[in-house]
């Protein structure tokens, strides 16, 4: 026997001559084989959903580790038994003899196997249901109410209000499922010990790339061509005059053709990276790699404090940074409420007075509800006593609801805390790059030509001619 084989044989003999080590070796071997099999299956493209992660990356590794722990415990216990037997002048004890010819032994074995199966079913079901509950929208939004109340409130008003939180924050596959649970463990600690910042900083830097979440439903080449967009605004005059802006948005082109428009930025033939500050609001450098492999780097001088930031590959959420948890500005909320009839536009100066009431500083949402109602009521009582009190009260309630849906003083969330980069109304948005100040080594700049993304068909007009043509 070679020198290499002897230690292996000694180890195998030590492991297999006592029940504890033998059980540990069996558990470790079975768990290792099963883990490798599931890992290979997932690597070749099979996705069993996030709950497969419980088996692949939680349950099986746990069994593997338990087995590893049992092996040395059994070996130490066996050596102790042998030493005590030697002290008594007895032979070293061996493995217990299980004689299945004995009726009592067979009965005990059947009871043990049956109980084990029942326990496995109970534990598996409980584990599955517990993870299912923890992945539910209600758990995400309500379990840590003080922290998540703003996100849950804005989620319920968003275009994705019927999409489960885990669909965007985790997506398919076991890998990101496990990452989210590890991250959630720290979040649980920080909530209980009140270690979380106020407001919660954004963006989330460890968020899964959009191709693994957003593009399960959306993808750039699905939205092509030009889209007509009509924005309705109201002025601050007595009659709350309605004006409209009409844009023709150049959304993008089909994959495989010459890309143009907004979705050119994420065309499969184009790669864009950028370097920015932690909030991704000040962009110092942009690197463009074209379909033919040529590369250009556009720098802005000075770098505006973004020197220490890391590079990031651009994807959907760099523009659509608030696709679900949307915090709107007071003017936009008022325009929407007036347009949808939630606030009666016949109330004189309601656009102006509503904005004034919303922008005032309040210590809490309860204080805001009381003072907004008082301010609006006082204005109409003093200057427009003929105004319909029912309409005034309804407007006051809607204004309070608008405030409570966007401003959370307890979390230091105010108007504009979380701006949207989609467009350039609430933040610099597109102009973070398209400002005419980012230039490459040859002096070429990132264009700030508005017509590359949209054509203005009407700008804040009362009765745009284009709409008379489009809407008979």
């Amino acid at each position: 026997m070679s020198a290499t084989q002897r230690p292996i044989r000694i180890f195998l003999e030590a492991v297999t001559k006592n029940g504890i080590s033998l059980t540990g070796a069996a558990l470790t071997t079975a768990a290792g084989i099963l883990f490798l099999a599931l890992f290979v299956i997932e690597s070749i493209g099979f996705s069993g959903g996030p709950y497969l992660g419980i088996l692949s990356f939680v349950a099986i590794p746990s069994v593997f580790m338990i087995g590893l722990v049992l092996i040395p415990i059994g070996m130490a216990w066996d050596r102790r038994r042998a030493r005590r037997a030697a002290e008594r002048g007895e032979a070293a004890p061996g493995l217990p003899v299980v004689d299945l010819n004995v009726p009592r032994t067979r009965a005990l074995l059947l009871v043990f196997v049956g109980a084990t199966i029942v326990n496995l079913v109970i534990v598996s079901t409980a584990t599955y249901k517990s993870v299912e509950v923890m992945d539910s929208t209600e758990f995400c939004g309500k379990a840590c109410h003080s922290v998540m109340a703003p996100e849950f409130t804005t989620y319920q008003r968003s275009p994705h209000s019927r999409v489960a939180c885990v669909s965007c924050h985790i997506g398919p596959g076991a890998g990101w499922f496990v990452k989210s649970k590890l991250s959630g463990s720290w979040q649980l600690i920080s909530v209980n010990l009140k270690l979380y910042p106020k407001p919660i900083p954004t963006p989330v830097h460890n968020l899964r790339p959009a191709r693994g979440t957003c593009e399960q439903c959306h993808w750039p080449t699905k939205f092509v061509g030009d889209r007509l967009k009509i924005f309705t605004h109201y002025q601050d005059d007595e009659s709350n005059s309605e004006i409209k802006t009409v844009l023709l948005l150049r959304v993008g082109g089909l994959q495989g053709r010459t890309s143009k428009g907004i979705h050119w930025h994420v065309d499969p033939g184009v790669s864009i990276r950028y370097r920015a500050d932690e909030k991704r609001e000040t962009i110092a450098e942009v690197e463009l790699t074209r379909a033919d492999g040529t590369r250009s780097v556009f720098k802005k001088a000075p770098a505006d404090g973004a020197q220490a930031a890391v590079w990031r590959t651009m994807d959907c959420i760099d523009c659509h940074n608030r696709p679900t948890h949307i915090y709107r500005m007071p003017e936009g909320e008022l325009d929407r409420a007036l347009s949808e009839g939630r606030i009666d536009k016949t109330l004189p100066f309601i656009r102006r007075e509503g904005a004034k009431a919303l922008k005032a500083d309040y210590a809490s949402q309860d204080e805001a509800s009381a003072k907004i109602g008082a301010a609006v009521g006082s204005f109409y009582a003093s200057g427009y006593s003929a105004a319909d009190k029912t309409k005034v009260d309804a407007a006051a309630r809607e204004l309070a609801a608008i405030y409570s849906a966007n401003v959370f003083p307890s979390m230091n969330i105010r108007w504009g805390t979380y701006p949207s980069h989609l467009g350039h109304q609430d933040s610099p948005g597109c102009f973070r790059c398209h400002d005419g100040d980012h230039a490459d080594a040859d002096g070429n700049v990132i264009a700030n030509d508005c017509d590359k993304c949209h054509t203005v068909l009407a700008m804040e007009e009362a009765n745009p001619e284009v709409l008379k043509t489009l809407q008979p």
Side-chain angles (χ1 to χ4, degrees), residues 171-221:
W176 281 90
F177 171 84
V178 175
K179 288 181 182 180
S180 72
K181 296 310 170 192
L182 293 175
S183 174
S185 300
W186 167 247
Q187 291 169 9
L188 181 64
I189 295 171
S190 64
V191 167
N192 282 285
L193 299 181
K194 299 189 182 301
L195 301 176
Y196 55 89
K198 298 181 181 181
I200 302 299
T202 58
V204 180
H205 290 276
N206 62 350
L207 198 65
R208 186 173 185 174
R211 282 187 168 84
T213 52
C214 306
E215 292 189 22
Q216 300 299 307
C217 299
H218 314 277
W219 54 95
T221 54

Side-chain angles (χ1 to χ4, degrees), residues 17 27 51 78 91 98 113-114 116 128 167 176 182 240 265 292 302 347 366 374-375 380 424 450:
K17 71 178 183 179
L27 290 175
Y51 297 115
D78 186 62
V98 180
V113 171
T116 300
Y128 179 89
S167 297
W176 281 90
L182 293 175
N240 309 300
H265 294 81
D292 60 5
L347 288 172
D366 290 338
Y380 287 102
H424 42 79
C450 298

Side-chain angles (χ1 to χ4, degrees), residues 208-451:
R208 186 173 185 174
R211 282 187 168 84
T213 52
C214 306
E215 292 189 22
Q216 300 299 307
C217 299
H218 314 277
W219 54 95
T221 54
K222 181 178 180 180
F223 302 98
V224 300
D226 296 339
R227 298 292 178 94
L228 189 71
K229 186 73 173 178
I230 303 171
F231 298 91
T232 301
H233 304 289
Y234 294 86
Q235 295 181 297
D236 288 342
D237 56 12
E238 185 175 24
S239 60
N240 309 300
S241 301
E242 182 179 293
I243 55 176
K244 292 182 181 293
T245 294
V246 184
L247 301 178
L248 188 65
L249 294 180
R250 305 197 181 284
V251 176
L254 292 172
Q255 183 176 351
R257 303 183 185 179
T258 302
S259 284
K260 295 180 180 179
I262 300 167
H263 281 167
W264 166 84
H265 294 81
V266 286
D267 186 273
V270 172
S271 175
I272 299 176
R273 297 197 311 149
Y274 67 89
R275 188 167 60 82
D277 64 338
E278 288 294 318
K279 297 183 73 64
R280 300 175 189 164
E281 292 178 356
T282 302
I283 295 178
E285 292 184 61
V286 179
E287 179 190 80
L288 166 64
T289 303
R290 302 172 183 84
D292 60 5
T294 58
R295 188 174 68 96
S296 297
V297 178
F298 300 86
K299 297 183 179 182
K300 182 177 182 179
D304 296 332
Q307 293 287 352
V310 297
W311 284 91
R312 168 178 166 79
T313 300
M314 184 178 184
D315 70 7
C316 305
I317 64 168
D318 290 295
C319 295
H320 299 268
N321 67 312
R322 310 301 310 182
T324 299
H325 305 290
I326 305 170
Y327 295 83
R328 299 185 176 93
M329 298 298 285
E331 294 81 5
E333 285 280 30
L334 280 165
D335 288 339
R336 185 187 295 263
L338 288 164
S339 180
E340 294 174 358
R342 289 182 281 118
I343 295 178
D344 197 306
K345 66 181 73 174
T346 63
L347 288 172
F349 288 112
I350 187 60
R351 170 65 158 71
R352 185 191 69 186
E353 295 303 311
K356 189 186 301 182
L358 287 173
K359 292 179 180 179
D361 188 28
Y362 306 107
S364 67
Q365 291 184 339
D366 290 338
E367 180 184 328
S369 296
K371 290 189 175 181
I372 286 173
V376 172
S378 175
F379 173 79
Y380 287 102
S382 61
Y384 293 89
S385 56
D388 188 328
K389 189 175 186 307
T390 302
K391 295 180 180 179
V392 173
D393 291 342
R397 288 193 297 272
E398 183 60 32
L399 289 169
I402 288 173
Y403 183 93
S404 296
N406 292 281
V407 182
F408 300 84
S410 63
M411 286 296 293
N412 291 330
I413 297 174
R414 306 288 178 177
W415 296 110
T417 297
Y418 295 125
S420 170
H421 297 322
L422 193 61
H424 42 79
Q425 291 181 304
D426 300 337
S427 78
C430 308
F431 293 134
R432 291 174 297 161
C433 297
H434 293 270
D435 55 0
D437 294 331
H438 289 77
D440 66 9
D442 297 325
N444 302 308
V445 298
I446 299 178
N448 58 356
D449 181 3
C450 298
D451 286 339

Side-chain angles (χ1 to χ4, degrees), residues 111-127:
V111 170
F112 175 78
V113 171
T116 300
I117 293 173
V118 171
N119 289 336
L120 285 173
V121 171
I122 292 173
V123 171
S124 299
T125 303
T127 303

Side-chain angles (χ1 to χ4, degrees), residues 49-67:
Y51 297 115
L52 185 61
I54 302 172
L55 184 64
S56 302
F57 295 100
V58 179
I60 292 176
S62 297
V63 172
F64 186 86
M65 292 302 298
I66 290 171

